[in-house]
Amino acid sequence: PTPPPPPPQSKPKTAAPAPTSPLKPASGSKLSDTVQLALRPLKGVADKLKLREYKDVEVYPFASLLTMLDVTVVSFLRVSSGELLVERYPLMTNAIQGAILVIAGDLVSQLFPKSRKGVRSTTLDFVRLFKASLVGVINVGLWPYYWYLIVDTFLPNQAPLDLRMPIWAFEWGMLGLKIVLDSVFNGVFSIVSSFSLWSLMDGDTLVQWKRKFTDSFLETWMMDWKSWPFYNILCFSVIPLRLRPMTSGIASMLWNAYVSHQSQSVSKKH
């Protein structure tokens, strides 16, 4: 008899392919390419901004606009509780306004030396502007807030308005003491910290850092004594404590432009 045919062998089952999730992230290289592709238009804009020549009639009004915007926000913007923003969030507000004011000052600093030579336009160093904003957060935003708080804690603020001789002499004496302390402690700290921060961000060596102080510290400090006492008479007598970082920042816009110029000019010489 003929043997029966073998039973049909069933085909081995293969696992169904796992469904691909539309949310699955791309591989590292693909993700990097995607990010670069998305940022390409921004890079093009940034390159154009770097290469563009900015005229003095653009830079100076823009720096003034930044300053006025800063004054408006700090002086008038209120939170829902009715408090001024600078009263409710003093550290945050002062840090932001310090950065804005020093950026405005550095814009002037980058163009003004060339304007004196008759050059009416220049490219802007945006990396330097970013560095200036970091200096502003510390030197114009945060440090003055604590400095004026310390001064008013130990030497209460009072305008010398009483004309009776002993009181009048005492009040003016206290005001004079505050002005001297401001130039000795606040002035020195601001200059040293500005020069040090610029050196740190510029990658200066210790020798370059020392040379920066040797070449420019005394000249800058003497300019501090010439520039600030007149403002400090108003600051320590009639300006409220909560507004002093902002008013000092405005007064120091040109001063910070000068300090920034001093720091950068020494770096370029060496």
Side-chain angles (χ1 to χ4, degrees):
T2 305
Q9 295 182 352
S10 59
K11 294 182 180 179
K13 294 183 179 180
T14 56
T20 56
S21 171
L23 299 179
K24 185 179 178 180
S27 64
S29 60
K30 290 183 178 179
L31 180 60
S32 175
D33 293 342
T34 304
V35 171
Q36 290 182 11
L37 185 62
L39 293 180
R40 187 176 297 171
L42 294 178
K43 187 177 182 300
V45 173
D47 291 340
K48 288 180 181 179
L49 290 175
K50 283 190 221 178
L51 298 174
R52 183 177 181 271
E53 290 274 338
Y54 294 88
K55 298 179 181 179
D56 53 358
V57 293
E58 296 173 318
V59 174
Y60 294 146
F62 183 69
S64 302
L65 180 63
L66 281 179
T67 304
M68 289 187 291
L69 179 64
D70 182 270
V71 173
T72 302
V73 170
V74 175
S75 302
F76 301 107
L77 188 62
R78 296 180 181 272
V79 295
S80 57
S81 62
E83 295 175 289
L84 287 172
L85 186 65
V86 70
E87 294 175 326
R88 185 68 180 86
Y89 305 105
L91 293 180
M92 179 193 72
T93 308
N94 287 324
I96 294 174
Q97 66 93 16
I100 291 174
L101 290 174
V102 176
I103 286 175
D106 196 64
L107 282 170
V108 175
S109 173
Q110 290 193 37
L111 184 61
F112 183 70
K114 296 181 179 181
S115 296
R116 294 179 61 185
K117 298 177 183 178
V119 179
R120 297 301 178 189
S121 63
T122 185
T123 57
L124 293 176
D125 187 342
F126 287 94
V127 174
R128 176 175 155 177
L129 287 174
F130 175 73
K131 295 175 181 178
S133 70
L134 299 181
V135 174
V137 168
I138 297 172
N139 274 15
V140 180
L142 300 180
W143 164 247
Y145 172 78
Y146 288 108
W147 166 248
Y148 291 126
L149 195 61
I150 292 170
V151 171
D152 263 22
T153 299
F154 294 98
L155 299 172
N157 182 48
Q158 186 174 0
L161 300 177
D162 197 319
L163 297 180
R164 288 175 293 178
M165 184 55 195
I167 300 176
W168 182 85
F170 173 77
E171 290 176 346
W172 274 102
M174 290 294 290
L175 180 59
L177 177 61
K178 291 180 181 181
I179 292 172
V180 172
L181 289 175
D182 187 83
S183 291
V184 171
F185 291 102
N186 183 32
V188 169
F189 175 84
S190 297
I191 296 169
V192 170
S193 61
S194 289
F195 281 11
S196 299
L197 287 169
W198 278 110
S199 290
L200 181 65
M201 291 186 290
D202 289 342
D204 291 348
T205 63
L206 184 60
V207 173
Q208 291 172 315
W209 179 78
K210 289 181 179 178
R211 188 181 293 125
K212 185 172 291 188
F213 280 88
T214 303
D215 291 354
S216 290
F217 173 77
L218 188 59
E219 178 187 350
T220 307
W221 193 34
M222 290 299 100
M223 184 63 70
D224 179 278
W225 280 93
K226 296 176 184 177
S227 307
W228 284 102
F230 302 103
Y231 164 77
N232 284 331
I233 291 175
L234 295 174
C235 177
F236 289 118
S237 57
V238 297
I239 298 176
L241 177 62
R242 61 181 172 78
L243 294 180
R244 283 184 206 167
M246 183 265 294
T247 57
S248 297
I250 296 170
S252 67
M253 189 181 79
L254 294 179
W255 170 254
N256 286 309
Y258 171 73
V259 173
S260 176
H261 171 71
Q262 288 288 89
S263 177
Q264 293 299 300
S265 62
V266 173
S267 298
K268 290 175 182 177
K269 286 179 186 176
H270 305 283

